[in-house]
Amino acid sequence: MVYSKYPLDANGNPFKYPTFILDTGEYAKIYNEINTNYSKFEGKEKCVHLSYYGEKAYMYYFENHGFDNYNIYMRKCVDE
């Protein structure tokens, strides 16, 4: 059996980047927003989603392996 140091998608395929750890509330909010707006990301392998969390705006970079099958690998504050 081959093990990957990177997270796997729902089909067992590895993503290319390690997961950026978000707190549970932030993760749920962003994942839900990506699902809601999936038509913008369909067919794209690497995507960026802009959203607010708390008082700050962030860009969330994620790998897309299909609807509800994402790996958020980076978050950048827009104001910095």
Side-chain angles (χ1 to χ4, degrees):
M1 179 174 267
V2 176
Y3 293 96
S4 173
K5 66 179 183 174
Y6 298 105
L8 303 178
D9 68 13
N11 298 313
N13 299 313
F15 287 106
K16 293 180 182 178
Y17 302 100
T19 299
F20 184 86
I21 304 301
L22 302 170
D23 72 43
T24 305
E26 184 177 12
Y27 178 83
K29 177 185 183 294
I30 301 308
Y31 215 85
N32 188 347
E33 289 176 2
I34 293 169
N35 278 343
T36 300
N37 297 292
Y38 184 70
S39 62
K40 293 181 186 179
F41 309 116
E42 189 170 9
K44 297 176 183 172
E45 186 177 321
K46 291 183 183 176
C47 308
V48 179
H49 174 69
L50 179 63
S51 186
Y52 283 89
Y53 189 71
E55 298 292 319
K56 293 186 178 183
Y58 294 99
M59 292 184 296
Y60 295 87
Y61 293 80
F62 66 96
E63 296 173 86
N64 177 15
H65 282 196
F67 180 79
D68 204 36
N69 205 3
Y70 323 114
N71 176 41
I72 299 170
Y73 63 87
M74 184 172 31
R75 177 187 74 181
K76 288 188 177 180
C77 186
V78 174
D79 299 332
E80 294 177 356

